[in-house]
Amino acid sequence: MTGKYDYDLFVIGAGSGGVRASRIAAGHGAKVAVAEEYRVGGTCVIRGCVPKKLFVYASQFSEEFEDAEGFGWTLGERSFSWEKLLANKDREIDRLNGIYIRNMESAGVKIFQTRAFLKDAHTVHLVAEGRDVTADKILIATGGTPFKPASIPGIEHAVTSNEAFHLDALPKRGIVVGGGYIAVEFAGIFNGLGVETTLMYRRDKVLRNFDEDLRDGLMEEIVKKGVDLRVNTDIASIERKGEVLVATLKDGGTIEAGFIMYATGRVPNSQGLGLEEIGVKLKKNGAIEVDPFSQTHVPNIYAVGDVTDRAALTPIAIREGQAFAETVFNNNPIAVDHTIIPTAVFSQPELGTIGLTEHEAREKFGDVDIYKTSFRAMKHTMTGRHEKTFMKLVVDPGTDRVLGVHLMGPSSGEMIQTVGIAVTLGATKKQFDATVAVHPTASEELVTLKQKWSPSAN
Ligand code: FAD
């Protein structure tokens, strides 16, 4: 311990970034405490990636039951219990929450179950305990929070992803508003669970910043699966009529639904922390400004994860937390590289992507080579399902380096993790081609793409 302060490090927020940073710092001998106002584990574990993926699994069974018939199975009566899914999901989240707490405590980290904010650069106020503690270094790892447009009359009747994990019942009809990955994922979840689902987005295509082929391909597929996709559409107001919510659209139409979920973005959780008062600078959207080592404008205060809005993903928050702890408590400066990030969207069908989109590559390199293929997965030759699998490589013709890989189809998340190693290492198209195919798989297409795509030939 430093002597002058109660702790060497005080972390506000026990999510992906805060947990990793506190454990690593404690491992390097620092005296560490963390304040968490909700549940240890943070968004990803409690109301993000983990319960979302469990819901995705749950929702996929409806298609799997149908597909089984093509392989000779006859299935009996089937029914779905939302209550059972919620109870089993909650049990798993409780288990993970317990593991996180135990791991932190066994690393010697003190956990305060409270909201916390800064009184000055070294003083943290613990709201639930009504007292202050001091620390040499402070790490802000408070994450983000769902955004709901306050200007829409009746918006208080709408839920966000936070509440979607705890809906009392699963209504017959639902509306998901938004075009980001959380919106398309939840539209797939509700649709698969049998809810008549409308996905409503005010722009013309979902998944801004993704490769255009993935955006177009996914929109086509989700419509085939039965989602009522309405682009260039937005809600003007919401009214509750008993159990039913009536959404009046900007074009004057109305839709009735049992729930309306807004997935219209997330904002950094930087308000009410006393940050600006002590000189920590925020960007326009509330994100904390940090240098490559996650240091803010106040030298003893650092920030990692979604609250810095560099790349709002769990593995990035974890890396930033680890790099911070290594830099500050192990004299081992590490700056996280945010330039090449593999990521998945657990939509149905799933997406996997890494590196530059075709559009970005053309802007940066001018001419690029595109290799792409679209096919029906082998399984669906027996199920009769007309679902497309799509794969695309973006290649720099000068160096032959694969600049981007964009996938749509079953297990794309798993595939992009593996092919992401090659792309991160700077693999060339020739090296992809030199890799022996694994047969019969979908991913063998990635190493057998011979024909350069040209707009005129297609
Ligand atoms: P968080 O995990 O959000 O943790 C911040 C913690 O700080 C929270 O526990 C909060 O309660 C606490 N806190 C805030 N203010 C205070 C305060 N003043 N005092 C005390 N405690 C405070 N990422 C992926 O990589 N893959 C996915 O599939 C994925 N799916 C997602 C699905 C959904 C529905 C959502 C919402 C997010 C998803 N994410 C996913 C994003 C991922 O959850 C975040 O990027 C990650 O959790 C960020 O970690 P963090 O440490 O920055 O913040």
Side-chain angles (χ1 to χ4, degrees):
M1 175 180 154
T2 57
K4 195 168 163 204
Y5 300 107
D6 298 327
Y7 295 98
D8 298 314
L9 170 65
F10 197 99
V11 180
I12 305 185
S16 308
V19 167
R20 177 57 67 96
S22 59
R23 282 180 58 194
I24 301 295
H28 291 310
K31 186 178 180 198
V32 183
V34 178
E36 171 53 53
E37 68 175 346
Y38 184 54
R39 295 187 72 188
V40 171
T43 303
C44 181
V45 176
I46 307 295
R47 46 192 181 184
C49 339
V50 174
K52 182 263 314 267
K53 186 92 188 267
L54 297 177
F55 278 12
V56 170
Y57 285 130
S59 66
Q60 285 171 335
F61 283 102
S62 49
E63 278 196 356
E64 284 166 19
F65 293 143
E66 283 173 12
D67 291 349
E69 290 180 11
F71 291 90
W73 290 91
T74 302
L75 272 76
E77 186 78 9
R78 36 190 200 262
S79 64
F80 168 70
S81 164
W82 173 247
E83 292 71 23
K84 190 166 180 182
L85 173 64
L86 286 199
N88 289 350
K89 178 265 293 176
D90 287 342
R91 201 178 53 231
E92 173 57 8
I93 302 306
D94 289 348
R95 188 183 72 85
L96 294 173
N97 171 246
I99 291 175
Y100 272 76
I101 292 173
R102 278 197 299 282
N103 285 347
M104 287 173 81
E105 288 179 341
S106 63
V109 176
K110 167 80 183 155
I111 302 171
F112 292 103
Q113 187 63 58
T114 176
R115 179 168 176 80
F117 62 84
L118 296 181
K119 279 190 160 172
D120 63 42
H122 292 283
T123 309
V124 182
H125 183 69
L126 307 177
V127 177
E129 308 209 356
R131 68 183 178 99
D132 299 339
V133 292
T134 59
D136 182 19
K137 303 282 189 300
I138 309 259
L139 178 68
I140 310 295
T142 47
T145 200
F147 167 79
K148 276 202 294 186
S151 59
I152 295 181
I155 191 72
E156 67 278 9
H157 301 304
V159 297
T160 67
S161 60
N162 283 353
E163 298 78 33
F165 289 115
H166 301 280
L167 293 178
D168 290 341
L170 206 54
K172 196 168 162 296
R173 277 204 48 80
I175 303 174
V176 178
V177 184
Y181 79 94
I182 295 176
V184 296
E185 288 175 343
F186 271 89
I189 289 169
F190 291 127
N191 182 54
L193 293 178
V195 177
E196 288 170 32
T197 306
T198 298
L199 174 60
M200 193 181 288
Y201 185 43
R202 67 191 164 97
R203 297 177 196 269
D204 62 339
K205 279 189 202 181
V206 298
L207 295 180
R208 205 147 52 98
N209 301 330
F210 281 68
D211 190 87
E212 292 297 315
D213 279 322
L214 288 193
R215 301 175 78 186
D216 293 333
L218 183 67
M219 292 205 302
E220 233 175 78
E221 294 303 322
I222 60 181
V223 169
K224 278 193 222 161
K225 286 184 189 292
V227 172
D228 168 33
L229 175 65
R230 303 197 190 190
V231 289
N232 298 314
T233 309
D234 205 359
I235 291 179
S237 66
I238 300 169
E239 203 185 334
R240 175 175 283 290
K241 289 193 175 155
E243 288 295 290
V244 177
L245 297 176
V246 182
T248 301
L249 309 182
K250 287 195 172 155
D251 68 8
T254 57
I255 312 185
E256 294 190 352
F259 69 89
I260 300 175
M261 171 181 159
Y262 268 75
T264 42
R266 292 175 61 80
V267 286
N269 231 335
S270 58
Q271 298 308 304
L273 291 170
L275 294 171
E276 283 173 298
E277 292 84 334
I278 59 173
V280 173
K281 290 199 180 139
L282 305 183
K283 294 186 190 156
K284 254 207 194 116
N285 67 351
I288 298 176
E289 275 185 27
V290 287
D291 73 5
F293 298 96
S294 296
Q295 190 172 31
T296 72
H297 289 267
V298 177
N300 74 307
I301 300 182
Y302 294 76
V304 296
D306 286 9
V307 75
T308 63
D309 195 31
R310 285 173 282 183
L313 292 165
T314 284
I316 299 298
I318 291 174
R319 277 184 172 237
E320 290 169 359
Q322 171 114 14
F324 153 78
E326 282 295 319
T327 303
V328 176
F329 293 99
N330 196 32
N331 199 21
N332 174 25
I334 300 175
V336 173
D337 179 3
H338 294 89
T339 54
I340 188 151
I341 298 175
T343 186
V345 177
F346 296 98
S347 48
Q348 296 176 44
E350 200 167 296
L351 308 182
T353 179
I354 185 169
L356 299 182
T357 64
E358 179 177 344
H359 177 74
E360 287 167 340
R362 285 197 192 284
E363 284 206 323
K364 198 164 170 188
F365 293 89
D367 201 17
V368 287
D369 290 341
I370 301 297
Y371 297 84
K372 57 183 175 179
T373 178
S374 171
F375 56 95
R376 192 184 196 188
M378 188 180 184
K379 182 178 173 190
H380 295 311
T381 58
M382 299 277 279
T383 65
R385 194 175 289 286
H386 291 281
E387 180 179 310
K388 255 191 331 197
T389 292
F390 173 81
M391 297 185 179
K392 176 173 186 176
L393 301 185
V394 180
V395 179
D396 174 11
T399 59
D400 195 42
R401 191 175 162 176
V402 177
L403 303 170
V405 178
H406 308 284
L407 311 174
M408 177 178 78
S411 304
S412 287
E414 302 292 341
M415 271 190 254
I416 206 69
Q417 180 67 86
T418 322
V419 79
I421 299 171
V423 177
T424 304
L425 290 174
T428 60
K429 176 71 169 65
K430 269 194 192 68
Q431 290 169 324
F432 269 57
D433 295 345
T435 307
V436 175
V438 178
H439 186 71
T441 62
S443 48
E444 67 183 302
E445 296 288 330
L446 287 171
V447 296
T448 53
L449 283 166
K450 294 281 177 284
Q451 195 65 44
K452 267 184 222 165
W453 179 81
S454 84
S456 54
N458 288 271

